[in-house]
């Protein structure tokens, strides 16, 4: 009788285990993103996760310029993926406030304790009660700087990097006179134009002090220092590559990686992409030179985005479990080592020398990436007005003063100024 009972219990346990495995294997999670460049990495993550848990994750990336529209349309229609690669700050808050994301807590995502409050602030809604909830697991922190191609500079006889902004502009003119493109950035890439502003602008408008003042409503975007920041960014049109009107992000990265331009203003997320485009590329990254040799060289930085869960997923627990893995230090180490980006997870330091170097500058004079962090929460959207306006200045359609006034008027419709 005892033997029969033991065998019966063992059989039940085996059936339960088999049923559990079958359930895990039957779960398939969809994961959408804008990171086309990282598909191989996420496919590997999904493969290993499936081997451990039996849960299948299918990663589908969309072109970054198309992703917001594709995602918003799917969510509005009651669909969309189980796992959502979401932006941060205003872009996330808009979707969170609409009820599209599942709130993440210590109960359903225990590893959420691995993130600082500062980074989690970019994963919250904007309006009550959503502003009290966390809707995403931050995946990376990014910084903006100037990539420089050592081989191009060496071939042009440039031995030292410029120490001031005037020296940088003089160097660009020297390169132009030698028929060498100074910048690979193109005017067709409006997000890239905002990134250029993020590299150049803080040194002119005053970095974090100005950011805090406009957030508090103490200063306006018509401030002369902000106007000058716009003007200096737009003035780079003289040093863009030929046919820059047709150059987008992909073309800009390719030009720089293949030695067809000396500099490229962009973010740290492009380190691995540049190496993929040309494994022999010899390059570094630096902050924009300060106005004076002993002045502050500001580095714009931000939480890049989040891993979120669709509120209407049919697999809430499985999706939250996967996001919890993406919040683990094990994953954070693999992320930063493979993609050469700075993980958002506390205690996971980058091993990539370029990240370390720019990170040291950011630790001294880091400043929020102005419009992304502070003014994407409502429409008119600060980033859209700034990037489209700079493009218009380059095309001769407006002026820095007019753009600054347009931004001030637009933001003032939803942000209070004194």
């Amino acid at each position: 009788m005892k033997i029969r009972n033991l065998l019966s219990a063992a059989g039940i346990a085996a059936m339960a285990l088999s049923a559990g495995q079958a359930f895990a294997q039957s779960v398939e999670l969809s994961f959408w993103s804008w990171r086309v460049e990282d598909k191989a990495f996420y496919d590997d993550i999904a493969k290993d996760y499936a081997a451990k848990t039996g849960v299948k994750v299918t990663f589908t990336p969309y072109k970054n310029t198309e992703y917001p529209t594709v995602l918003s349309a799917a969510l509005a229609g009651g669909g969309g993926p189980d796992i959502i690669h979401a932006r941060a700050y205003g872009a996330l808050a808009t979707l969170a406030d609409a009820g599209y994301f599942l709130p993440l807590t210590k109960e359903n995502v225990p590893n959420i304790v691995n993130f600082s409050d500062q980074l989690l602030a970019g994963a919250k809604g904007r309006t009550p009660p959503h502003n009290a909830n966390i809707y995403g697991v931050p995946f990376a922190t990014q910084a903006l700087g100037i990539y420089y191609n050592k081989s191009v500079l060496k071939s042009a006889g440039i031995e030292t990097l410029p120490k001031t902004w005037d020296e940088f502009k003089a160097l660009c003119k020297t390169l132009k006179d030698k028929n060498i493109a100074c910048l690979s950035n193109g005017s067709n890439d409006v997000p890239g134009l905002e990134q250029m502003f993020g590299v150049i602008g803080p040194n002119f408008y005053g970095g974090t002090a100005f950011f805090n003042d406009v957030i508090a409503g103490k200063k306006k975007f018509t401030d002369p220092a902000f106007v000058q920041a716009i003007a200096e960014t737009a003035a780079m049109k003289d040093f863009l590559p030929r046919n820059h009107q047709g150059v987008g992000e992909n073309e800009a990265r390719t030009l720089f990686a293949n030695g067809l331009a000396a500099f490229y203003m962009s973010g740290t997320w492009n380190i691995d992409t540049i190496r993929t485009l040309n494994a022999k590329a010899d390059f570094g990254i630096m902050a924009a030179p300060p106005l004076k040799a002993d002045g502050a060289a500001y580095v714009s930085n931000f939480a890049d985005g989040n891993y979120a869960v669709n509120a209407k997923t049919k697999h809430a627990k499985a999706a939250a479990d996967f996001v919890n893995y993406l919040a683990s230090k094990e994953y954070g180490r693999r992320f930063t080592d493979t993609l050469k980006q700075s993980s958002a997870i506390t205690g996971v330091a980058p091993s990539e020398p370029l990240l370390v170097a720019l990170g040291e500058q950011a630790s001294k004079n880091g400043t929020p990436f102005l419009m992304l962090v502070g003014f994407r929460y409502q429409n008119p959207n600060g980033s859209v007005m700034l990037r489209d306006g700079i493009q218009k200045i380059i095309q001769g359609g407006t002026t820095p003063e007019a753009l600054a006034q347009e931004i001030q008027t637009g933001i003032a419709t939803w942000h209070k100024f004194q």
Side-chain angles (χ1 to χ4, degrees):
M1 181 65 70
K2 290 183 178 179
I3 293 174
R4 188 182 300 116
N5 288 341
L6 287 172
L7 290 173
S8 177
I12 293 172
M15 290 173 63
L17 178 61
S18 176
Q21 290 175 334
F23 173 75
Q25 291 172 354
S26 68
V27 174
E28 294 187 12
L29 301 175
S30 53
F31 179 7
W32 288 7
S33 172
W34 71 88
R35 290 297 298 170
V36 175
E37 302 91 336
D38 300 338
K39 187 177 189 309
F41 169 76
Y42 285 109
D43 285 346
D44 285 345
I45 291 294
K47 179 181 178 181
D48 293 345
Y49 190 78
K52 291 180 181 179
T53 66
V55 175
K56 181 181 179 181
V57 180
T58 301
F59 179 79
T60 304
Y62 294 86
K63 188 176 180 180
N64 62 346
T65 54
E66 300 171 356
Y67 181 64
T69 301
V70 172
L71 177 63
S72 295
L75 293 174
D82 301 293
I83 310 296
I84 299 166
H85 214 166
R87 300 289 189 180
Y89 310 106
L92 176 136
T94 299
L95 298 176
D97 288 354
Y100 293 138
F101 295 157
L102 183 75
L104 306 183
T105 67
K106 294 179 182 178
E107 285 67 42
N108 60 3
V109 180
N111 284 330
I112 206 162
V113 299
N114 289 334
F115 302 92
S116 69
D117 291 341
Q118 179 182 358
L119 290 180
L120 289 175
K124 292 185 176 182
R126 177 75 167 177
T127 60
H130 306 289
N131 59 348
N133 296 330
I134 296 169
Y135 292 98
V137 165
F139 75 91
T141 59
Q142 305 288 2
L144 298 172
I146 305 177
Y147 288 94
Y148 56 94
N149 191 307
K150 298 178 183 179
S151 299
V152 174
L153 293 175
K154 185 177 180 180
S155 65
I158 310 300
E159 301 293 336
T160 59
L161 294 172
K163 294 182 174 59
T164 67
W165 183 245
D166 283 344
E167 287 182 10
F168 179 79
K169 291 192 293 185
L171 173 55
C172 284
K173 185 177 185 308
T174 297
L175 292 170
K176 183 177 181 178
D177 291 343
K178 294 184 178 184
N179 292 319
I180 299 173
C182 177
L183 294 172
S184 67
N185 300 75
S187 62
N188 188 49
D189 177 24
V190 286
L193 294 176
E194 184 184 6
Q195 291 160 26
M196 287 177 62
F197 179 86
V199 173
I200 299 167
N203 288 348
F204 288 90
Y205 64 68
T208 305
F210 179 82
F211 176 86
N212 290 338
D213 281 345
V214 290
I215 289 291
K218 295 178 181 179
K219 282 192 175 182
K220 297 182 178 181
F221 290 105
T222 50
D223 187 281
F226 185 77
V227 174
Q228 183 64 21
I230 293 175
E232 290 289 337
T233 303
M236 288 292 103
K237 70 179 185 299
D238 293 336
F239 305 118
L240 300 181
R242 293 188 182 91
N243 302 316
H244 58 82
Q245 299 89 343
V247 175
E249 183 182 36
N250 290 334
E251 293 82 6
R253 293 184 298 203
T254 301
L255 287 171
F256 176 80
N258 290 301
L260 298 177
F263 299 102
Y264 175 39
M265 295 185 183
S266 186
T268 47
W269 62 88
N270 271 320
I271 293 172
D272 190 55
T273 302
I274 292 169
R275 290 206 179 109
T276 300
L277 289 167
N278 183 2
K280 296 182 179 180
D282 186 12
F283 62 96
I285 189 169
M286 65 180 187
L291 304 188
K292 297 180 180 180
D294 58 349
Y298 288 104
V299 176
S300 290
N301 51 54
F302 58 97
D304 194 1
N306 303 274
Y307 301 120
V309 176
N310 191 333
K312 292 190 176 181
T313 178
K314 296 179 180 179
H315 307 292
K317 185 180 185 307
D321 287 345
F322 180 63
V323 167
N324 187 57
Y325 170 68
L326 300 182
S328 68
K329 291 190 177 182
E330 173 192 349
Y331 171 78
R333 172 51 54 198
R334 186 170 176 181
F335 175 90
T336 191
D337 287 348
T338 304
L339 296 183
K340 309 305 180 186
Q341 298 182 43
S342 294
S343 169
I345 297 171
T346 301
V348 179
S351 56
E352 164 60 49
L354 297 186
L355 288 177
V356 173
L358 195 61
E360 290 176 351
Q361 296 185 64
S363 67
K364 298 175 183 177
N365 293 300
T367 188
F369 187 22
L370 182 60
M371 294 300 187
L372 185 153
V373 176
F375 297 98
R376 286 190 186 181
Y377 287 96
Q378 294 187 40
N379 289 319
N381 180 305
S383 286
V384 172
M385 287 189 289
L386 177 64
R387 60 179 60 162
D388 289 353
I390 292 174
Q391 184 185 59
K392 195 173 179 180
I393 294 172
I394 291 173
Q395 295 171 347
T398 189
T399 65
E401 292 79 10
L403 175 57
Q405 183 61 64
E406 178 186 344
I407 292 171
Q408 176 60 33
T409 301
I411 297 296
T413 63
W414 57 267
H415 179 74
K416 185 178 180 180
F417 291 91
Q418 296 178 9

